[in-house]
Amino acid sequence: MAILTILTYPDARLHKFAAPVTEFDADLKKLVDDMAQTMYAAPGVGLAATQVDVHKRVIVIDTSETHDDLVVLVNPRILKANGRHVYEEGCLSVPGIYEEVERAEHIDFEAEDVAGNTIRRSATGLLAVCVQHEMDHLKGKVFVEYLSRLKQTRIRAKFEKEARKKAA
Ligand code: GNR
Ligand code: NI
């Protein structure tokens, strides 16, 4: 297993569109294992392959307090979305920024697991937020894009300044 490097906003690679997984092979298993280890080490409650510069439709999530309930979603799709709910979100690719985002409150979703078996689940609360947040990453969308232009400009400036400091 390996801890992978997480891309930081604003990095153009965070806006790439992920391709469906077609082979449920040893390479996929290794990617999922590495992503899970990276998520737990960060620590975070979810990670999309996009964030580790792999542009395939793969997500890992663990919203349990005991870190023993790993959910692997390959080629996820939302079947039904109901209600609206505001939650204060963070993102491992935008460290230190926490802002309220409104999303569906309840979702029914389907995906393949790492072996290619189809799983279907419902979610509310943090898991529902997380599935939607991670699925956004797979289409190249970062949660700050839901914020006002002013906030986005400020966040971008902060991270560009930090990147310049690191490079200097
Ligand atoms: O660790 C994470 N916490 C979190 C908190 C509220 C809403 C969404 C998230 S996802 C985030 C990990 C991450 O960036 N996943 O893409
Ligand atoms: Ni994120």
Side-chain angles (χ1 to χ4, degrees):
M1 285 215 281
I3 291 179
L4 307 171
T5 302
I6 299 175
L7 300 177
T8 305
Y9 181 88
D11 185 311
R13 293 169 291 180
L14 283 171
H15 303 300
K16 290 175 80 169
F17 200 90
V21 169
T22 54
E23 314 274 349
F24 292 83
D25 56 10
D27 286 350
L28 177 65
K29 176 81 169 65
K30 178 173 170 29
L31 173 63
V32 165
D33 287 348
D34 289 349
M35 282 176 61
Q37 196 189 10
T38 303
M39 173 185 72
Y40 287 125
V45 296
L47 189 72
T50 307
Q51 292 177 277
V52 294
D53 202 22
V54 175
H55 303 283
K56 294 181 187 162
R57 300 188 55 79
V58 179
I59 289 168
V60 294
I61 295 175
D62 189 339
T63 58
S64 73
E65 278 175 20
T66 41
H67 296 177
D68 59 357
D69 187 19
L70 181 67
V71 178
V72 176
L73 303 178
V74 178
N75 300 335
R77 50 261 175 205
I78 289 181
L79 304 173
K80 223 164 99 183
N82 287 308
R84 302 297 292 168
H85 184 70
V86 175
Y87 199 94
E88 187 174 80
E89 300 195 13
C91 181
L92 294 172
S93 294
V94 198
I97 304 292
Y98 301 90
E99 293 283 351
E100 289 187 339
V101 175
E102 185 182 284
R103 299 186 187 270
E105 181 175 32
H106 180 102
I107 55 169
D108 293 343
F109 61 98
E110 199 175 71
E112 274 67 66
D113 66 13
V114 72
N117 303 304
T118 300
I119 49 176
R120 188 176 288 189
R121 288 184 61 164
S122 300
T124 53
L126 179 57
L127 180 59
V129 170
C130 218
V131 169
Q132 293 172 81
H133 175 117
E134 304 312 338
M135 285 182 71
D136 272 351
H137 277 303
L138 299 182
K139 57 180 185 190
K141 186 161 182 172
V142 179
F143 87 107
V144 297
E145 291 172 54
Y146 289 102
L147 308 178
S148 69
R149 269 297 165 87
L150 177 63
K151 279 189 179 174
Q152 286 186 55
T153 302
R154 285 180 179 159
I155 292 166
R156 182 178 282 271
K158 174 181 189 284
F159 282 93
E160 280 172 349
K161 187 175 165 193
E162 277 169 23
R164 275 199 303 276
K165 248 195 281 174
K166 262 180 227 157

